[in-house]
Amino acid sequence: MTVKTVPAAASNMTLGEIAARAANARQAAASWRRYSLSERVELLRAVWQELTSRKKELCAVVHAETGKPLAEVEMMELATAHLIVRYFTSNAHRILQDQPAWRPWPLLNKRAYVRYVPRGVVGLITPWNLPFLIPFGDALAAMLAGNAVLVKPSEWTSRTAQWVEDAIRACGLLPEGLFSVVVGDGQAGAQVVAESDMVLFTGSFATGRAVAQSAAAQLKPCVLELGGKHPMIVFKDAELSRAAKAAVWGSFANCGQLCVGVERVYVESEVHDRFVELVRREMSGLRQGLGGQDVDLGRLIFPPQLARIKEQLEDAAAKGGRVIGGEVLDEANLMMSPALVLGASHDMKVMTEETFGPVMPIMKVDRGEEAIRLSNGGSYGLSASLWTADTARAERLCASVEAGMVCVNDLLTHYAVCSLPFGGIKHSGLGRRHSDEGLRMFCWPQSVFIHEWPARAPEPWWFPYDRAKTRLVSWIMKLT
Ligand code: TXE
């Protein structure tokens, strides 16, 4: 008998409960913005220490609701969160301090600078694939910038965010309600948009567009991180053994459920067969299971994914692709074995639509440049990678890749380098998380302009206008 481990979707909080949480968050924001940045840094570092002291418990919660290997929870979610905390708490002063502004010389008697003012309540609408890293990483940055957060996790993985909320409350270090979780589906998400001063959404293109439309109607800033179709492009001079291992990890890590995960591989014809052989050898060593220990892959997280992936594999097979693996191992537990699609082509959905599962289609191409052209033809533009020994050439080619993030001989790990902006173009989203921009976006810039001296004299361009003044100003402009 199969023991079912996939939890059901959480039911919605009532509209009244959500409104009460939003009111708490707003009150917390008002008190939190009075803390100095140094205090915020210190308190958030202490909160992180408290959470990591309960690391085992946290890993167990994430594992229970996603079925991921425990090593993956620790390396992908917690270690990356640690780097986010380290980076932003160490750089917050540089990024958020008042920025002096340039003035033209005739205005040197004035002071000008930009200050970053917290927006208030930031709504974070998050998906199910990284239930700790995405909500916590984004909340950390938003709180550091002086905001309260209203976190709406996916209804399929709400327990992790609720655990974090409880753990933060138990520390007693932050104002009550500063990190508030709203549980529910799209209806709850829509209310989070209505209750927030800004929204950061991570999820699908279709929902992201609906969220953006609703934010626009309410004239609220909205940042979107949507799906991707990462093309991995392998040139004939690539270090094939590293590229093959990277392809397997990049396609199957997190059971293929990563927005920046490899979704399609293009290989130059001269090395195609050797590359496929290395990939197959690497895949044969993968261990799959739901126990969490000593496994490389777990299960899918979101029930509709199984049917969607099956449909893409059937479509590939019907169009002449050779599908290896991809068997449904345990339907009730959303377990499928990793799949390789050989002979892939662009008339197959698996090469053009987001799969978001453990599937690696490989397409043979004459030249890598052709692969860049083909992949640019799609609607997504999140991440891509180029694999070649000629890094100088790869760096030149990066400019022709339509993606927010391009790696050379590497992939995925750039998420942990949070000095880099993270985000996409086209249907992959708007705006960036991480980086200076990704911290400042949680504030609105206030331009401050101060007349310093002389205290009594009026400006020559004020009333009354006369010819002499016009001449004086135009003479000054000539010298400026
Ligand atoms: O995403 P949704 P789903 C892709 C992946 C997957 C597909 C669907 O291809 O198959 O999206 O996944 C909330 N107003 N990605 O259905 O619908 C919802 O409750 C406000 C890529 O889970 O985008 C959840 O919290 N919020 C992605 C969040 O939006 C609404 C990661 C995301 O849900 C809402 C996950 C509404 N009207 C899936 N409707 C990535 N970029 O990493 C839903 N929500």
Side-chain angles (χ1 to χ4, degrees), residues 126-128 152 155 186 189 201 203-204 207 226 259 305 308 354:
T126 62
W128 34 262
K152 213 298 283 167
E155 55 276 35
F201 171 87
S204 63
T207 307
L226 311 176
C259 55
Q305 284 300 110
R308 177 173 159 179
E354 190 175 39

Side-chain angles (χ1 to χ4, degrees), residues 139-186:
L140 182 279
M143 293 190 295
L144 201 52
N147 303 283
V149 288
L150 212 46
V151 182
K152 213 298 283 167
S154 165
E155 55 276 35
W156 294 95
T157 53
S158 300
R159 277 195 279 152
T160 302
Q162 288 178 299
W163 184 94
V164 174
E165 183 186 48
D166 291 345
I168 288 178
R169 187 177 302 112
C171 310
L173 293 167
L174 303 180
E176 174 66 26
L178 195 72
F179 181 102
S180 287
V181 174
V182 167
V183 177
D185 58 17

